[in-house]
Amino acid sequence: MLKHAITVTLLMSVCFGVAAQASADKKCMMCHKKNGTMLGIHSTINNISIGCVSCHGEKGKHPRDKTALRYFGLDSHTPASEQNLACMSCHQLEQLRQSEWTHDVHLSKLSCAACHQLHPERDPIDGISAHDRSQACADCHSQFNGEAEQ
């Protein structure tokens, strides 16, 4: 009987959490669906377990205070380390290291979103040729080296 009660309580908390997240996501999408659909693996449409709040944080005073949310990318006000902590809450560092050595090298310097795009249907960096990946690295490194020299 106790096992059944624990199972029911656990299921209720999971369902409530999913319902609360869906409600929060619905509020986000009231405005953001105007900006385009959030597709891909990091979408609120295709994967209910990953919601807007999971990555971007609580709404706070957004939209009046845009710094209330966590933003991703090179031009974000959110430090790369904070962006990456959000990514690492789901992605395992050891698996990333095994899939591509550059993950480990750049983790403390760049945000994951410097290379990866989070909301398109398919992340453009996935599946590119080794040559194109090397060219992307060279382009980025020459850009940073050029800025350092000026």
Side-chain angles (χ1 to χ4, degrees):
M1 191 69 162
L2 179 61
K3 184 178 177 183
H4 177 70
I6 292 171
T7 302
V8 169
T9 303
L10 181 61
L11 284 172
M12 287 175 59
S13 66
V14 168
C15 290
F16 177 74
V18 168
Q21 181 175 308
S23 176
D25 290 342
K26 186 176 179 180
K27 288 179 184 176
C28 296
M29 294 308 288
M30 286 172 60
C31 293
H32 290 280
K33 72 178 178 183
K34 297 173 189 170
N35 299 335
T37 305
M38 304 301 173
L39 300 170
I41 195 163
H42 296 101
S43 116
T44 59
I45 297 161
N46 297 328
N47 189 341
I48 196 70
S49 66
I50 300 175
C52 305
V53 174
S54 301
C55 299
H56 294 284
E58 294 293 333
K59 178 181 179 283
K61 294 182 181 180
H62 178 76
R64 287 189 265 346
D65 178 11
K66 295 206 184 294
T67 62
L69 295 176
R70 186 180 305 113
Y71 292 90
F72 295 86
L74 286 172
D75 58 350
S76 171
H77 71 272
T78 306
S81 59
E82 187 179 334
Q83 292 177 52
N84 291 346
L85 278 175
C87 299
M88 293 297 114
S89 68
C90 293
H91 297 279
Q92 302 301 313
L93 182 57
E94 192 57 38
Q95 289 176 338
L96 294 173
R97 283 180 179 143
Q98 290 175 3
S99 69
E100 174 69 39
W101 66 271
T102 56
H103 288 120
D104 200 32
V105 172
H106 293 104
L107 187 62
S108 65
K109 298 173 182 77
L110 289 174
S111 70
C112 301
C115 296
H116 295 279
Q117 292 182 18
L118 307 175
H119 291 298
E121 189 169 3
R122 190 175 140 304
D123 183 358
I125 198 83
D126 287 344
I128 66 171
S129 70
H131 176 268
D132 289 344
R133 188 178 302 245
S134 293
Q135 188 59 52
C137 296
D139 292 346
C140 191
H141 279 269
S142 66
Q143 174 188 355
F144 286 114
N145 288 338
E147 288 177 5
E149 293 172 5
Q150 294 176 354

